[in-house]
Amino acid sequence: QLMGASGAGTSDYEIEQSLRLNIDTPKWIKRTPSSDSNRKTWTLSMWHKRGAVGRNLTEILFKGGGSGGSGIIAMHLTNSSYAAEDKIWLSFDGATGANPVTNRVFRDPSGWMHIVLRFDTTQSTVTDRARLYINGELIISTDYTFLWSTSWAGITQNSDWNVNKSGIEHSFGAHQTNQPLDGYLADIAFVDGQSLGPDSFGETGDYGEWKPIDVSGLTFGTNGYHLDFADSSALGNDANGSNNFTTVGIAATDQMLDSPTNNFCTLNPLDKTSVMALSEGNLKSVSSGNGKLCGTMLIPSSGKWLFEYLVTAGGGADVGLAKADILLTSRTQEGANVIDTRDNNTSVFVEGTAHASEWASTYGINVVVQMQVDMDAGTILYKTGTDSTSAISFTSAEDWVVWTENNSDTVVFNFGQDSSFAGNKTPQGNQDANDI
């Protein structure tokens, strides 16, 4: 099974795909309404999975026409120049308006979060005019700190804003090349003319988790839209009607299987050394020196699991598994706490022991390598194309995570969500037992 796909089919409602955005080569989607609609009242719902954290100021949403003032609304993930890293900043009219920043941080790269921005300037209570919900929970007005201004007063009652204004661009993921977002967006629903709570878009599951529901029955309004990213040849299509978005820099290979109802493993920006830079939704790792990095999910304790990787530059990338309870600094090449192979070495190292005969030749640059892990049999196997090594025993009773140690290498991973390796290969269309 693929790393993360085993949960497929367990939810009442399935979101089958998402859109991946990339901080290193900015990509975004945009639309400019041709007519005015309700500029006082609307609701935005979206699902987002974090990519690289603690980096540049990144933009989730931008609805405006310039850099401040004149009814512009933006939603950002902050960096240290504006607030502590990885908080959500809602910018209403730039420095001249209301600029609430959450006191909470949002830096979990392993899970999806649901964001609802509920805007209604007809409300008599000023703090009810812009309400943010995360995973069904309202961020109350006292849980913000303000940049520049000190209150919500910049959102005046019955005021019109640039959202739903003719000729004003709406975008997700960036505004032009500024402040690009890294990570994933899924099931974006924009309802024009209604103020809706999060229960119009999600519900609490049997285990207390917040999960999506089918939004196709909503009345979206004149400038409303539903972006489900179902068509890889037209990822800006409006599933509700004809309010389609234009894609910028986005390819068919940016459609991902990673979704709020089928969450895949990625690399973990919270468990890496500083010389490792992540992009492509935490599937691409570039090291500027000798660095270490782990994945976001434990290998499940039973069953057969696999992932793939592709070294696109360098020549000394170690990739494999590491014991989860060992500090990152204690995970070393050929050490007792790791399982790994190297693209310029003919041996596989399993918990400190070299297995030269099981690795027939160096795999080199741009060769897809698959690692198969059988937790029940306690064996691992590396495979390249039709050539495979012999299975090697390891201590499967331990908790293991995906691990890599690179020295000026570039490695792209596929845990099942992207067999194109960020556009470096032709997708193969292979599936697991769940048809994922």
Side-chain angles (χ1 to χ4, degrees):
Q1 302 206 1
L2 303 172
M3 285 290 293
S6 62
T10 61
S11 176
D12 295 331
Y13 173 67
E14 296 292 332
I15 296 175
E16 296 184 354
Q17 56 277 310
S18 64
L19 175 68
R20 174 181 57 192
L21 301 174
N22 183 22
I23 197 169
D24 290 337
T25 47
K27 305 174 182 182
W28 68 97
I29 56 176
K30 63 180 182 178
R31 175 180 179 265
T32 301
S34 59
S35 62
D36 281 3
S37 55
N38 197 317
R39 296 171 57 195
K40 296 181 175 66
T41 305
W42 47 265
T43 309
L44 173 69
S45 165
M46 69 173 77
W47 290 83
H48 174 52
K49 182 177 178 178
R50 294 298 313 268
V53 300
R55 293 184 66 179
N56 298 333
L57 180 72
T58 58
E59 189 169 275
I60 304 174
L61 161 75
F62 185 90
K63 297 178 182 288
S67 56
S70 304
I72 291 172
I73 294 176
M75 184 190 303
H76 304 272
L77 289 161
T78 58
N79 64 6
S80 56
S81 298
Y82 290 86
E85 295 171 342
D86 303 315
K87 298 183 176 184
I88 295 178
W89 166 26
L90 301 175
S91 178
F92 301 95
D93 254 355
T96 62
N99 287 274
V101 179
T102 61
N103 293 329
R104 290 167 53 184
V105 296
F106 301 92
R107 58 167 67 106
D108 178 6
S110 67
W112 284 84
M113 68 174 174
H114 184 224
I115 302 171
V116 171
L117 180 57
R118 185 178 187 180
F119 191 80
D120 185 5
T121 66
T122 68
Q123 295 293 314
S124 58
T125 302
V126 65
T127 53
D128 287 343
R129 296 172 195 160
R131 283 169 282 182
L132 177 67
Y133 301 81
I134 303 296
N135 294 334
E137 177 188 350
L138 174 67
I139 307 297
I140 62 175
S141 59
T142 54
D143 282 345
Y144 295 90
T145 301
F146 283 80
L147 294 175
W148 305 307
S149 61
T150 58
S151 72
W152 298 88
I155 309 174
T156 58
Q157 189 172 18
N158 294 315
S159 55
D160 286 323
W161 291 71
N162 275 355
V163 176
N164 290 326
K165 182 178 180 181
S166 174
I168 298 297
E169 181 180 294
H170 300 185
S171 62
F172 293 92
H175 174 56
Q176 300 176 10
T177 58
N178 297 331
Q179 302 165 3
L181 180 69
D182 191 84
Y184 307 83
L185 295 175
D187 213 46
I188 299 176
F190 180 76
V191 178
D192 178 3
Q194 296 182 67
S195 173
L196 301 177
D199 55 353
S200 293
F201 311 96
E203 63 184 4
T204 301
D206 294 339
Y207 305 100
E209 79 282 12
W210 185 253
K211 64 180 186 178
I213 60 175
D214 187 357
V215 301
S216 61
L218 294 174
T219 300
F220 288 87
T222 302
N223 280 319
Y225 45 82
H226 178 203
L227 305 179
D228 62 1
F229 308 116
D231 186 350
S232 62
S233 65
L235 286 167
N237 274 6
D238 174 16
N240 171 68
S242 58
N243 291 331
N244 300 323
F245 277 65
T246 299
T247 61
V248 181
I250 289 170
T253 51
D254 291 312
Q255 183 194 56
M256 294 287 106
L257 293 175
D258 201 332
S259 82
T261 56
N262 193 19
N263 188 26
F264 283 80
C265 180
T266 59
L267 302 174
N268 191 349
L270 304 179
D271 195 7
K272 72 177 185 66
T273 53
S274 60
V275 298
M276 307 288 274
L278 300 182
S279 59
E280 297 287 1
N282 286 339
L283 295 177
K284 179 180 178 181
S285 168
V286 179
S287 59
S288 58
N290 188 16
K292 302 175 183 181
L293 170 67
C294 287
T296 57
M297 293 181 181
L298 291 175
I299 304 290
S301 59
S302 64
K304 298 178 181 180
W305 304 89
L306 64 87
F307 66 93
E308 299 175 320
Y309 53 93
L310 180 76
V311 179
T312 61
D318 288 71
V319 181
L321 305 180
K323 293 179 181 177
D325 60 350
I326 302 299
L327 292 175
L328 187 66
T329 53
S330 298
R331 299 163 179 157
T332 60
Q333 300 168 346
E334 306 168 17
N337 299 317
V338 303
I339 300 167
D340 84 294
T341 190
R342 192 179 309 159
D343 63 324
N344 61 1
N345 196 312
T346 58
S347 294
V348 176
F349 290 86
V350 178
E351 299 176 88
T353 300
H355 296 262
S357 62
E358 286 84 359
W359 193 243
S361 62
T362 58
Y363 58 85
I365 304 297
N366 292 322
V367 175
V368 175
V369 181
Q370 186 179 99
M371 185 172 184
Q372 302 178 3
V373 185
D374 187 335
M375 295 298 287
D376 298 321
T379 59
I380 63 100
L381 184 149
Y382 283 88
K383 182 176 180 180
T384 59
T386 59
D387 299 322
S388 63
T389 66
S390 301
I392 308 169
S393 297
F394 74 105
T395 310
S396 59
E398 299 278 357
D399 289 331
W400 295 90
V401 292
V402 175
W403 171 86
T404 180
E405 182 170 358
N406 308 153
N407 192 354
S408 302
D409 300 293
T410 300
V411 187
V412 186
F413 286 78
N414 171 34
F415 299 102
Q417 67 272 69
D418 181 22
S419 62
S420 80
F421 296 89
N424 285 284
K425 292 289 183 180
T426 301
Q428 297 301 300
N430 297 319
Q431 295 179 326
D432 71 356
N434 296 310
D435 297 329
I436 301 298

